[in-house]
Amino acid sequence: MRILGIDPGSVATGWGVVERRGSQCAHVAHGTVRPSRGAALPARLADLHAAIGRIVATHAPERVVVERVFVGRSVRSALVLGQARGAVLAALAGAGLAIEEITAQHVKLAVTGTGAAEKVQVQAMVKRLLALAETPPRDAADALAAALAWHPLASVHGLAGAARGASFRGRVGRASGRGASRIVIRRVP
Amino acid sequence: MRILGIDPGSVATGWGVVERRGSQCAHVAHGTVRPSRGAALPARLADLHAAIGRIVATHAPERVVVERVFVGRSVRSALVLGQARGAVLAALAGAGLAIEEITAQHVKLAVTGTGAAEKVQVQAMVKRLLALAETPPRDAADALAAALAWHPLASVHGLAGAARGASFRGRVGRASGRGASRIVIRRVP
């Protein structure tokens, strides 16, 4: 199962692909889409839309997990971020992919054990969980973390399940927080 | 010169195409894109993106005018509206079109003579200016009004020029407000 995680942003959109094999998660690829700041907004949104299309075509994910937005920002920044999300979501759904949203808190909880983790903690844990040689950039790390946080049972058990789900055993298990082992025991005798 | 006006919205996106022939403006087509409310957000955004692409392919506009957003809304609605705008702008720029933004106030001023006009006034004036048999629906009327408000000299004189510009003479002239004749006299002896 190939999972694409995306962290959309108005300046930079992080993406990361992981492959789930049983209880293991392996790194496939990651990157950051950063449309030219000199270009006009519509051109940047079209670039973002096209880039997402290329990522999907190249890595053929079966699932997409998009980080849900924290809306406690200003109206202006919500509009700007919304525009980037609109281009990203249209590209993903246009490619026929089912999309799940997951809050930043759930992502952090899943990979660091706390929903209040700092960005650098997320980066460090993503590097460790995926045995990467180098720490991925912030936005790409968030996207990889979202992909790691996705859980096959999430649609049944709600997204909270994604943050402490059974398949975080093995290499990913350490990061799934205190609730993890209890749920693992119930589901996998 | 074919001009496509668009009024993006999270529920309904109005569009309208007019053709400017000298100082006259003629109606070409209009409509409302209303993605299925039952569908998930990404699918609705993909529908919106695809619909804009079809409109551009069908009517081959040379200019696009998009209504600028009034951002004095809630953060939540700014995000939702931003997503629709992102899908629309990505589709337009992806089709290689140059896009101009125009505020709702300028659009209203251009077609009704007052920036504080009600929606029904805009609808009535659009119907009259374009000699339509029926009043267009609200969102489509706003889009047609945006297309009417666009002015070839706007990029030189700023968008305020679009609201009282020289080419609102003739059939469209009546709607351009008190400032119109003065500017017309200066520009067109």
Side-chain angles (χ1 to χ4, degrees), chain A residues 41-46 49 69 71-76 78-87 89-91 93-94 97 99 101, chain B residues 41-46 49 69 71-76 78-87 89-94 97 99 101:
Chain A
L41 170 74
R44 283 187 281 134
L45 294 171
H49 185 274
V69 179
V71 288
R73 304 177 179 220
S74 76
V75 170
R76 185 76 224 158
L79 179 74
V80 170
L81 179 59
Q83 290 173 160
R85 281 176 61 81
L89 294 175
L97 289 163
I99 296 151
E101 286 194 286
Chain B
L41 170 73
R44 283 187 282 134
L45 294 170
H49 185 274
V69 179
V71 287
R73 304 178 178 218
S74 77
V75 169
R76 185 76 223 158
L79 179 75
V80 170
L81 178 58
Q83 290 173 161
R85 279 177 62 81
L89 294 175
L92 294 170
L97 289 164
I99 296 150
E101 287 193 286

Side-chain angles (χ1 to χ4, degrees), chain A residues 102-144:
Chain A
I102 185 166
T103 66
Q105 285 71 19
H106 279 126
V107 173
K108 288 173 180 173
L109 182 60
V111 298
T112 71
T114 166
E118 298 292 326
K119 287 259 185 190
V120 287
Q121 274 181 274
V122 172
Q123 282 175 288
M125 282 308 298
V126 164
K127 182 189 175 202
R128 183 171 175 170
L129 293 169
L130 293 172
L132 301 174
E134 289 182 16
T135 305
R138 235 169 56 168
D139 300 299
D142 282 352
L144 285 168

Side-chain angles (χ1 to χ4, degrees), chain B residues 83-177:
Chain B
Q83 290 173 161
R85 279 177 62 81
V88 166
L89 294 175
L92 294 170
L97 289 164
I99 296 150
E100 314 212 19
E101 287 193 286
I102 186 166
T103 65
Q105 284 71 20
H106 279 126
V107 172
K108 287 172 180 173
L109 183 60
V111 300
T112 71
T114 165
E118 298 292 325
K119 288 258 184 192
V120 286
Q121 274 180 273
V122 173
Q123 284 176 287
M125 282 309 298
V126 164
K127 181 187 177 203
R128 182 171 176 171
L129 293 169
L130 292 171
L132 300 173
E134 290 183 12
T135 305
R138 234 168 58 167
D139 299 300
D142 282 351
L144 285 168
L148 288 172
W150 183 79
H151 185 277
L153 296 175
S155 52
V156 181
H157 295 279
L159 279 171
R164 12 172 242 274
S167 40
F168 287 101
R169 291 176 308 146
R171 267 163 64 193
V172 186
R174 200 206 155 279
S176 53

Side-chain angles (χ1 to χ4, degrees), chain A residues 1 3 18-22 24-26 147-148 150-152 167-168:
Chain A
M1 167 81 81
I3 305 158
V18 301
E19 193 155 320
R20 188 182 288 279
R21 297 168 190 144
Q24 303 279 315
C25 270
L148 287 172
W150 183 79
H151 185 277
S167 39
F168 287 101

